């Protein structure tokens, strides 16, 4: 391919050689419930607002984990008091290790959500489109938590001058704004990774001329608000 | 401009270094087993068959588990060799752009230099080279941070940034840009 007259290696060739030596940015990720759980967890951890609860995914993962645990326990029991081979021990060790990883992801997912529910408990209860993103248990949790916090604050708020005792309004007024309720900040900056080629995308409706060319594996640092729709469409993942 | 770290950040919201490493452990590595096993049917995928001297691909967490049990040797990825790493350092120093290293290059190099030393040609040198790459890139990131202006509010592409690097700069960049935003809104 390289003729005698061609210089040995141009800077361009070296660059290409290096790029091919470095290989792909990531391994191919199989689309399994485990990989979806991992993405759901990381997205939840990084998003400033609470995302819709993954009912079906969590149900399936819980079932898979329970089934796997039973299988492993059963085969351990079947091996019984007789000598189990080294390979059996290794296999059990590997299954156990993977189950630990998955259980960690599940707990981390629930914990990431609970943290946000606690921070924005009243907001969750107040906004129906936010409340519906919570699971039934989480909705109960939000309600219980808000009540406990209110009870806690009332010991101080009760001492405030009349009109200033509310937890949700600075000054109690009819039709007044709930200006003491913390809300998630949709303009917080997040990092996200593009999952598929999207070409030129208009991200900000207030600035329609400004488009970004989005290619798979691109990493953006950007206001959450501008990529929220892409996240919902699974075109990007947060990181 | 003076950047003030006024915005409250919940520490539980932070993705720790250990978590970034945990997330990297699903990257695939080739291993050469010294045992036989038809297959491993895990929830995340099926791996094997495992045959002595037959290379097979597994996630890094499994590669490290097998390695620690003395059940395999690890095949270092193509990019994790001294010559390539030296080339990367040269390129990183020469350009403003970032080289296309694997997204989890730091985590992969760390694990291999820790648990699979005898499978690397020179683990000490390898680790030093990777750390040099990390440092050179970190300086470039800092320089990039300093050069941000309000155009950054439209979104910034961080071409070829790695997972660990994103995690390290996250608190600084997010804070800086959130404050930019606040400043620009006040200025209107």
């Amino acid at each position: 391919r390289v003729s005698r007259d061609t210089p040995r290696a141009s800077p361009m060739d070296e660059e290409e050689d290096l790029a091919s030596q470095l290989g792909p940015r990531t391994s191919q990720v199989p689309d399994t419930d485990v990989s979806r759980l991992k993405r759901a967890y990381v997205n939840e951890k990084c998003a400033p607002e609470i995302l819709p609860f993954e009912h079906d995914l969590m149900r399936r993962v819980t079932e898979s984990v329970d089934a796997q645990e039973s299988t492993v326990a059963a085969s351990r029991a079947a091996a019984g008091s007789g000598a189990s081979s080294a390979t059996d021990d290794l296999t059990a060790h590997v299954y156990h290790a993977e189950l630990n990883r998955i259980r960690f992801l599940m707990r981390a997912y629930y914990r990431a959500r609970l943290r946000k529910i606690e921070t924005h408990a009243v907001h969750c209860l107040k906004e129906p489109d936010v409340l519906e993103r919570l699971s039934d248990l989480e909705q109960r949790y939000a309600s219980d938590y808000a009540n406990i916090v209110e009870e806690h604050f009332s010991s101080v708020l009760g001492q405030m001058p009349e009109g200033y005792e509310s937890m949700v309004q600075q000054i109690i007024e009819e039709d007044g704004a709930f200006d003491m309720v913390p809300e998630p900040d949709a303009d917080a900056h997040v990092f996200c990774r593009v999952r598929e080629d999207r070409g030129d995308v208009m991200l900000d409706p207030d600035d329609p001329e400004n488009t970004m060319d989005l290619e798979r594996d691109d990493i953006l640092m950007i206001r959450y608000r501008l990529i929220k729709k892409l996240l919902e469409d699974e075109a990007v993942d947060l990181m | 401009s003076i950047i003030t770290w006024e915005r409250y950040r919940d520490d539980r919201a932070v993705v720790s270094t250990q978590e970034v490493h945990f997330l990297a452990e699903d990257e695939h590595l080739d291993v050469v087993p010294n045992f036989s096993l038809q297959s491993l049917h895990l929830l995340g995928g099926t791996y094997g068959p495992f045959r002595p001297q037959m290379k097979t691909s597994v996630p890094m967490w499994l590669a490290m588990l097998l390695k620690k049990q003395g059940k395999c040797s690890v095949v270092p990825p193509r990019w994790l060799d001294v010559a390539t790493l030296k080339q990367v350092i040269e390129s990183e120093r020469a350009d403003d752009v970032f080289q296309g290293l694997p997204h989890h290059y730091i985590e992969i190099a760390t694990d291999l230099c820790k648990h699979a030393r005898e499978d690397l040609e020179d683990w000490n040198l390898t680790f030093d080279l990777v750390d040099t790459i990390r440092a050179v890139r970190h300086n470039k990131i800092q320089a990039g941070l300093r050069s941000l202006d309000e155009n950054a509010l439209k979104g910034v592409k961080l071409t070829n940034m790695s997972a660990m690097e994103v995690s390290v700069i996250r608190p600084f960049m997010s804070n800086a840009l959130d404050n930019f935003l606040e400043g620009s809104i006040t200025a209107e």
Side-chain angles (χ1 to χ4, degrees):
Chain A
R1 192 165 66 90
V2 177
S3 79
R4 259 180 316 194
D5 299 321
T6 311
R8 209 169 64 82
S10 73
M12 200 51 163
D13 289 339
E14 270 177 29
E15 243 175 67
E16 279 166 18
D17 283 341
L18 184 57
S20 70
Q21 190 74 358
L22 294 179
R25 306 283 330 277
T26 49
S27 311
Q28 282 283 77
V29 182
D31 189 26
T32 60
D33 278 346
V34 178
S35 67
R36 278 183 223 117
L37 168 62
K38 183 172 162 177
R39 283 173 48 222
Y41 158 58
V42 180
N43 285 333
E44 197 71 68
K45 186 106 194 196
C46 299
E49 63 175 2
I50 197 153
L51 302 173
F53 183 69
E54 295 275 355
H55 288 92
D56 291 337
L57 175 61
M58 295 312 282
R59 183 185 41 80
R60 287 197 312 267
V61 172
T62 308
E63 282 168 9
S64 300
V65 166
D66 288 346
Q68 187 83 318
E69 276 173 350
S70 303
T71 308
V72 174
S75 64
R76 292 305 275 157
S81 51
S84 58
S85 74
T87 314
D88 290 337
D89 285 342
L90 178 67
T91 308
H93 189 31
V94 171
Y95 283 127
H96 189 63
E98 196 207 26
L99 284 169
N100 278 343
R101 291 180 65 84
I102 296 172
R103 278 189 292 245
F104 169 78
L105 283 175
M106 292 171 71
R107 284 197 309 268
Y109 177 71
Y110 290 127
R111 271 202 304 262
R113 293 175 63 84
L114 284 179
R115 175 188 65 79
K116 285 192 273 196
I117 290 169
E118 286 177 9
T119 313
H120 304 122
V122 177
H123 173 75
C124 289
L125 296 166
K126 217 166 103 269
E127 305 294 326
D129 61 327
V130 178
L131 190 62
E132 72 180 7
R133 293 182 223 155
L134 274 56
S135 71
D136 291 340
L137 279 175
E138 286 172 344
Q139 289 182 4
R140 254 211 322 270
Y141 184 86
S143 173
D144 290 347
Y145 186 82
N147 285 333
I148 289 172
V149 167
E150 175 154 41
E151 221 180 277
H152 179 64
F153 281 167
S154 65
S155 61
V156 170
L157 293 175
Q159 321 270 345
M160 299 287 273
E162 197 173 321
Y164 291 86
E165 321 96 321
S166 166
M167 192 177 77
V168 295
Q169 289 177 304
Q170 291 200 54
I171 302 170
I172 296 176
E173 350 180 73
E174 211 174 289
D175 298 339
F178 292 105
D179 50 4
M180 292 287 282
V181 175
E183 270 179 28
D185 180 10
D187 284 314
H189 280 85
V190 295
F191 292 79
C192 68
R193 195 147 141 220
V194 180
R195 299 184 72 224
E196 57 195 29
D197 289 344
R198 275 294 181 107
D200 257 343
V201 179
M202 188 261 301
L203 294 174
D204 189 356
D206 292 337
D207 190 4
E209 298 301 298
N210 203 337
T211 61
M212 239 193 199
D213 180 39
L214 296 184
E215 268 174 43
R216 207 188 123 123
D217 281 347
D218 276 346
I219 295 176
L220 304 180
M221 183 182 56
I222 193 166
R223 273 181 280 161
Y224 174 75
R225 185 197 299 282
L226 301 183
I227 49 90
K228 181 176 148 138
K229 182 71 175 53
L230 290 170
L231 179 66
E232 280 166 26
D233 292 344
E234 298 195 54
V236 305
D237 272 335
L238 302 183
M239 56 178 298
Chain B
S1 61
I2 299 165
I3 296 173
T4 53
W5 311 122
E6 287 168 347
R7 199 173 290 263
Y8 169 69
R9 291 273 167 207
D10 186 345
D11 275 348
R12 286 176 297 170
V14 169
V15 183
S16 70
T17 307
Q18 292 97 312
E19 274 183 296
V20 177
H21 195 108
F22 173 82
L23 296 171
E25 288 174 332
D26 292 311
E27 290 299 299
H28 276 55
L29 288 175
D30 282 337
V31 298
V32 179
N34 57 26
F35 64 99
S36 274
L37 185 59
Q38 188 46 43
S39 58
L40 280 167
H41 293 282
L42 301 175
L43 292 177
T46 298
Y47 304 105
F50 298 89
R51 302 265 172 267
Q53 312 314 318
M54 302 275 300
K55 195 166 71 168
T56 186
S57 176
V58 295
M60 189 161 79
W61 66 267
L62 180 52
M64 293 301 111
L65 187 157
L66 292 173
K67 180 71 192 175
K68 284 179 197 171
Q69 299 274 315
K71 296 293 186 188
C72 73
S73 64
V74 180
V75 180
R78 279 180 60 180
W79 55 271
L80 194 64
D81 80 62
V82 169
T84 308
L85 294 175
K86 283 182 171 166
Q87 253 187 295
V88 171
I89 292 173
E90 243 181 73
S91 302
E92 290 283 0
R93 284 187 169 141
D95 289 322
D96 281 339
V97 300
F98 293 88
Q99 296 303 304
L101 284 159
H103 192 55
H104 295 287
Y105 80 94
I106 293 175
E107 300 91 296
I108 295 170
T110 305
D111 260 4
L112 291 189
C113 288
K114 220 157 122 178
H115 303 300
R117 290 178 176 176
E118 67 262 22
D119 297 328
L120 296 168
E121 57 181 304
D122 184 337
W123 75 267
N124 233 323
L125 179 57
T126 303
F127 194 68
D128 276 346
L129 291 172
V130 172
D131 198 46
T132 302
I133 292 170
R134 190 203 50 76
V136 170
R137 287 167 65 107
H138 187 71
N139 285 336
K140 285 206 295 213
I141 293 166
Q142 301 275 51
L145 234 183
R146 282 193 287 269
S147 74
L148 288 180
D149 60 18
E150 68 272 4
N151 279 321
L153 293 175
K154 304 184 193 292
V156 182
K157 246 201 212 187
L158 302 173
T159 308
N160 289 337
M161 193 111 308
S162 77
M164 192 61 81
E165 285 157 357
V166 165
S167 162
V168 164
I169 63 168
R170 185 200 315 274
F172 302 103
M173 281 190 131
S174 305
N175 257 334
L177 286 175
D178 288 348
N179 279 310
F180 249 140
L181 183 60
E182 218 168 279
S184 74
I185 289 171
T186 320
E188 272 162 25

